[in-house]
Amino acid sequence: KYKDTIEAPKEVTKRVYEISGIEYTQEYDAKLDHYLKESEEKRKMAKSKSAKKEMHSYSIADYGLTKKLVESEFKDYIQNYC
């Protein structure tokens, strides 16, 4: 789930590698640590410049959709993954 990826990115990445049969190396681990540190710093800077709690804000109305339509079309996905 997306929430898991945000809360524990390294653990999720390791699991994806394991499932895919890809070797998770120390070199990749170091690169991922570097990326995650930079990403966190960028998010902190972006949030400090904005009063918003989230970095990005989207609305289904921006795309001409309604809650009812989205829930109907994605019913199975929502039940399984949300």
Side-chain angles (χ1 to χ4, degrees):
K1 292 183 179 181
Y2 178 76
K3 181 180 175 187
D4 297 335
T5 304
I6 297 302
E7 292 176 357
K10 284 184 73 170
E11 290 73 13
V12 171
T13 302
K14 287 178 182 180
R15 182 74 178 128
V16 168
Y17 269 59
E18 180 183 320
I19 291 170
S20 302
I22 301 170
E23 181 183 6
Y24 187 92
T25 65
Q26 289 181 344
E27 179 184 1
Y28 181 75
D29 189 67
K31 288 180 180 183
L32 184 56
D33 281 340
H34 178 75
Y35 168 79
L36 292 171
K37 182 179 178 183
E38 279 189 347
S39 178
E40 183 178 348
E41 290 170 1
K42 287 178 185 178
R43 286 179 175 275
K44 284 180 182 177
M45 283 195 326
K47 284 184 179 182
S48 69
K49 293 178 182 178
S50 170
K52 296 186 334 181
K53 290 184 179 182
E54 300 293 328
M55 281 187 57
H56 308 285
S57 179
Y58 305 99
S59 167
I60 59 175
D62 294 342
Y63 303 96
L65 303 171
T66 64
K67 182 178 178 180
K68 183 177 179 179
L69 175 65
V70 172
E71 287 176 344
S72 172
E73 292 294 320
F74 291 93
K75 180 181 176 183
D76 291 338
Y77 179 86
I78 292 168
Q79 286 176 345
N80 290 318
Y81 300 107
C82 296

